[in-house]
Amino acid sequence: MSVETTTESAPAPKKGTNILLGLTLLGLLLFLWLLLGLSTNAFWSPNNISNLLRQGAMTAILAVGQTFVIITAGIDLSVGAIVGFTSVIVAWLLQAGVPLWAAIILTLLMGVAIGAFHGFGIVRMGLPPFIITLATLTSLRGIGLLITNGSTISINHEGFTNFSRTDFLGVPSLFWMVILVAIPAFVFLHLSRWGRYLFAVGSNAEAARLSGVNVNRTIYLAYILSATCAAFVGLLLASRIGIGNATQAEGWELQAIASSVIGGTSLFGAVGSVHGPLLGAFILATINNGANLLNVNSFWQRIITGLLIIVIVYFDQLRRRGSR
């Protein structure tokens, strides 16, 4: 069967629903910003807005990568560990005198290799995505701690560390990295045949295979993209904090999943977008930022995030039942 036939048969997300959800999330984000602006004078200060954008940027990039995997009805629990591990790798390479450009490329290739390993575990070994990525989560933490001997590696490259602290056109450079990732991610997911293949696999892998979709290759691609996004965030985190630390980004995989789900990605697969998880990440960042400004106990931030996930997944289940 021809590729053209396959592309037409693969399901695509409903554009009207995506636009409506995006507008709803944007409205919620603006409402939170307005509410916090009225509740505390510090919220609209330039320093706080810059800090908010920096906080949300790294979670947003992780959420985009996670979305590729969740659309295929998978999950990647390793992204937080990949962030910490790759921060160690880039710090170790720079300390060893490797040129900056080479250190960045090698670190990103490490992300590609980890994603390919996940694909191999799922496709060739038959392991559930939960198990293979959970194993990677614990393993990478341990490997990173072995490399650093349980300590941290300082980064003395000023050009690298200054990047995350600079602004361009009044906007933090870390936020520009979100745009750098989001534009090609949108083109890939919504305008390319490979994006349609992700939705097809998440909808019904066997039907996609019978339609001519290379399901195994699509799964490999999804996990490679997720791990590469995580490696990119590891670079950004290392730039921001100036050290390589294997224990950094603990729990960020849950933040990425929560951002993606809040953004409308279905944990059952075949439903998702790029703009939704981005907005979801900044909604979570706004809640955390506002809670800090209002001196709300940090434990409540986790409770609110958990309740949001429960409500959204519940309504997703209702939507699935209604569509049958």
Side-chain angles (χ1 to χ4, degrees), residues 149-264:
N149 197 26
S151 184
T152 62
I153 301 176
S154 298
I155 300 175
N156 298 318
H157 195 294
E158 291 188 4
F160 181 69
T161 55
N162 287 340
F163 172 77
S164 63
R165 302 163 190 166
T166 58
D167 294 348
F168 178 68
L169 299 178
V171 178
S173 55
L174 289 183
F175 185 79
W176 285 110
M177 294 301 98
V178 176
I179 297 175
L180 181 67
V181 170
I183 292 175
F186 179 88
V187 172
F188 170 82
L189 186 61
H190 298 291
L191 302 179
S192 77
R193 66 176 183 176
W194 289 103
R196 295 175 68 86
Y197 293 169
L198 292 180
F199 287 105
V201 171
S203 177
N204 189 319
E206 186 58 30
R209 181 179 288 108
L210 294 174
S211 297
V213 175
N214 191 323
V215 174
N216 291 348
R217 187 182 299 172
T218 302
I219 291 174
Y220 268 104
L221 180 60
Y223 284 89
I224 287 173
L225 289 173
S226 176
T228 304
C229 284
F232 184 50
V233 173
L235 290 170
L236 298 179
L237 179 63
S239 173
R240 188 178 187 192
I241 64 178
I243 60 173
N245 186 351
T247 62
Q248 282 290 331
E250 195 162 344
W252 283 23
E253 60 278 351
L254 301 181
Q255 290 287 319
I257 295 169
S259 299
S260 187
V261 171
I262 290 171

Side-chain angles (χ1 to χ4, degrees), residues 7-236:
T7 304
E8 288 298 318
S9 63
K14 296 179 180 179
K15 293 183 180 179
T17 303
N18 277 342
I19 293 173
L20 179 60
L21 176 63
L23 291 174
T24 302
L25 292 172
L26 182 59
L28 175 59
L29 181 61
L30 294 176
F31 172 76
L32 289 174
W33 281 37
L34 179 61
L35 182 63
L36 289 172
L38 295 175
S39 302
T40 170
N41 293 330
F43 180 78
W44 285 109
S45 66
N47 286 340
N48 185 64
I49 295 299
S50 293
N51 187 46
L52 173 59
L53 294 178
R54 289 188 176 96
Q55 285 176 342
M58 289 184 281
T59 304
I61 295 172
L62 280 183
V64 169
Q66 187 74 242
T67 298
F68 294 134
V69 168
I70 296 178
I71 286 175
T72 67
I75 199 76
D76 189 348
L77 297 178
S78 69
V79 294
I82 294 173
V83 171
F85 177 69
T86 50
S87 76
V88 169
I89 294 300
V90 69
W92 178 68
L93 290 171
L94 290 175
Q95 190 179 72
V98 176
L100 178 59
W101 65 268
I104 291 173
I105 292 175
L106 289 172
T107 302
L108 292 176
L109 288 176
M110 181 64 69
V112 172
I114 294 170
F117 172 73
H118 289 158
F120 178 83
I122 295 166
V123 170
R124 300 299 180 188
M125 299 176 67
L127 297 175
F130 180 91
I131 297 300
I132 185 66
T133 58
L134 179 63
T136 306
L137 182 158
T138 57
S139 298
L140 289 181
R141 294 290 187 194
I143 295 171
L145 289 171
L146 283 174
I147 292 174
T148 62
N149 197 26
S151 184
T152 62
I153 301 176
S154 298
I155 300 175
N156 298 318
H157 195 294
E158 291 188 4
F160 181 69
T161 55
N162 287 340
F163 172 77
S164 63
R165 302 163 190 166
T166 58
D167 294 348
F168 178 68
L169 299 178
V171 178
S173 55
L174 289 183
F175 185 79
W176 285 110
M177 294 301 98
V178 176
I179 297 175
L180 181 67
V181 170
I183 292 175
F186 179 88
V187 172
F188 170 82
L189 186 61
H190 298 291
L191 302 179
S192 77
R193 66 176 183 176
W194 289 103
R196 295 175 68 86
Y197 293 169
L198 292 180
F199 287 105
V201 171
S203 177
N204 189 319
E206 186 58 30
R209 181 179 288 108
L210 294 174
S211 297
V213 175
N214 191 323
V215 174
N216 291 348
R217 187 182 299 172
T218 302
I219 291 174
Y220 268 104
L221 180 60
Y223 284 89
I224 287 173
L225 289 173
S226 176
T228 304
C229 284
F232 184 50
V233 173
L235 290 170
L236 298 179

Side-chain angles (χ1 to χ4, degrees), residues 44 56 142 230 234 258 280 289 296 310 321:
W44 285 109
N289 180 267
V296 176
I310 291 172
R321 292 170 187 166

